[in-house]
Amino acid sequence: MQLPDLKLQNITLDTDGEIAIVSLNRAAKRNALSAETIEELIDVFSALPRSGARAAVLRGEGDHFSAGLDLVEHHKQERSASDFMHVCLRWHEAFNKMEYGGVPIIAALKGATVGGGLELASATHIRVADKTTYFALPEGQRGLFTGGGATIRVSELVGRARMIDMMLTGRIYEAEEALNVGLCQYLVDDSEAKAMELARACTEVPPLSNFAICSAISHSRNMSALDAAYMESFVAGVVNTQPASNERLAAFADKSAARVKPKN
Ligand code: 1HE
């Protein structure tokens, strides 16, 4: 892959083979999402799908994934309603680039994954938590409301009732409970190692299949069931006849391909 040449202050970009590693690097501010960080996320996730990256891991420096909206910046700027509406539109731009971009993004979570930090995590395709990770939507307590897509993505992950409870009461979800309600899909000792392992697994999937998995499923939620079924047929028509699937099906037919069986 060819790392995009971007001027970044709040994000660091690295590679491990065909995997892009995107790090939030404002550890001193608990990776709070300033307006500049959001612009950098837009730049990074606009460029990544065209960089040859086969998967990405999104992580944070320091002990916390992200403390959400940069509250100090928001406070200092004395934004008007319309100013903040435009801030939110930029968050949506960044998170939509991630969710619909076609490159699998795995979030390696730890510590606070709260407010806008949870909105960011929920725009990735797989969330991996470690035992320090906790999830919350403290917007209510701060006199705020979610503006980075939580009403869509977090409510989809945990259901509206849980999301409303989180916002009204400041409820914090940790570990097993977070796993059980769907805030993360994995709970492990080392979320970064696991995220890399999962990203490597994603690189085994043909890019066109990854593109479909990491865009079509999300697009289907914006359509009627009838249109979603039509779109699915169309995508499957293209994906399921690609050369890479022909080779894999030949290997299945001649019994050289792995079978789908649990390890034990
Ligand atoms: C910040 C932020 C921030 C830390 N914006 N600067 N999010 C929240 O309500 C969570 C706010 N943060 C916290 O509750 C705590 O900082 C943590 C639990 C994440 C970490 O606690 P701790 O004790 O390790 O750190 P700290 O001493 O609170 O903060 C260290 C520094 O990070 C300090 O800066 P300093 O210059 O005084 O050293 C903090 O000000 C800074 N910091 N979090 C700005 N969030 C699109 S709408 C989305 C709406 C939301 O996201 S609401 C949820 C906001």
Side-chain angles (χ1 to χ4, degrees):
M1 68 169 290
Q2 185 76 39
L3 264 186
D5 184 20
L6 300 170
K7 287 196 175 50
L8 303 170
Q9 301 280 340
N10 306 281
I11 291 177
T12 315
L13 262 186
D14 292 299
T15 53
D16 181 330
E18 296 169 296
I19 301 168
I21 302 169
V22 182
S23 304
L24 304 170
N25 70 10
R26 295 185 82 210
K29 300 291 180 189
R30 307 308 184 251
N31 295 320
L33 300 170
S34 59
E36 202 178 75
T37 308
I38 295 294
E39 291 305 316
E40 293 182 15
L41 284 170
I42 295 172
D43 291 345
V44 166
F45 287 105
S46 300
L48 266 193
R50 286 171 283 123
S51 71
R54 299 282 302 275
V57 167
L58 176 65
R59 57 180 294 280
E61 296 292 349
D63 295 335
H64 300 278
F65 175 70
S66 172
L69 175 71
D70 189 319
L71 297 170
V72 177
E73 176 184 78
H74 181 61
H75 179 59
K76 280 193 185 148
Q77 291 198 352
E78 297 180 9
R79 291 164 170 146
S80 68
S82 110
D83 292 340
F84 196 66
M85 182 191 73
H86 286 292
V87 168
C88 293
L89 289 176
R90 299 307 281 164
W91 283 52
H92 293 310
E93 181 75 12
F95 296 174
N96 288 338
K97 289 268 184 258
M98 293 169 61
E99 184 181 357
Y100 296 93
V103 175
I105 307 170
I106 326 293
L109 306 176
K110 59 188 159 178
T113 303
V114 304
L118 174 52
E119 294 181 302
L120 172 62
S122 68
T124 67
H125 303 101
I126 306 179
R127 280 155 294 280
V128 184
D130 72 9
K131 290 179 182 138
T132 69
T133 313
Y134 59 95
F135 301 87
L137 291 172
E139 278 82 348
Q141 283 63 43
R142 304 270 184 230
L144 303 172
F145 190 70
T146 58
T151 53
I152 303 143
R153 297 189 185 93
V154 177
S155 68
E156 203 171 57
L157 289 177
V158 301
R160 283 203 304 274
R162 286 197 189 93
M163 179 182 169
I164 291 170
D165 175 28
M166 288 169 84
M167 290 187 70
L168 287 176
T169 67
R171 181 171 182 169
I172 294 174
Y173 280 97
E174 295 176 73
E176 292 293 333
E177 206 185 3
L179 185 69
N180 290 340
V181 299
L183 284 161
C184 54
Q185 288 117 299
Y186 295 86
L187 174 63
V188 293
D189 288 332
D190 184 342
S191 57
E192 301 206 350
K194 184 70 182 177
M196 285 304 297
E197 178 194 321
L198 297 171
R200 273 183 218 106
C202 294
T203 66
E204 301 293 319
V205 176
L208 189 60
S209 301
N210 274 337
F211 179 79
I213 295 164
C214 296
S215 61
I217 297 169
S218 292
H219 275 291
S220 72
R221 80 147 91 79
N222 308 319
M223 300 174 186
S224 69
L226 195 65
D227 288 339
Y230 178 74
M231 179 274 289
E232 185 187 64
S233 317
F234 208 87
V235 172
V238 175
V239 173
N240 297 9
T241 55
Q242 63 176 313
S245 84
N246 291 338
E247 284 161 25
R248 287 164 192 237
L249 297 179
F252 179 81
D254 72 18
K255 303 205 184 296
S256 62
R259 266 39 192 169
V260 183
K261 288 183 182 171
K263 280 200 185 110
N264 299 310

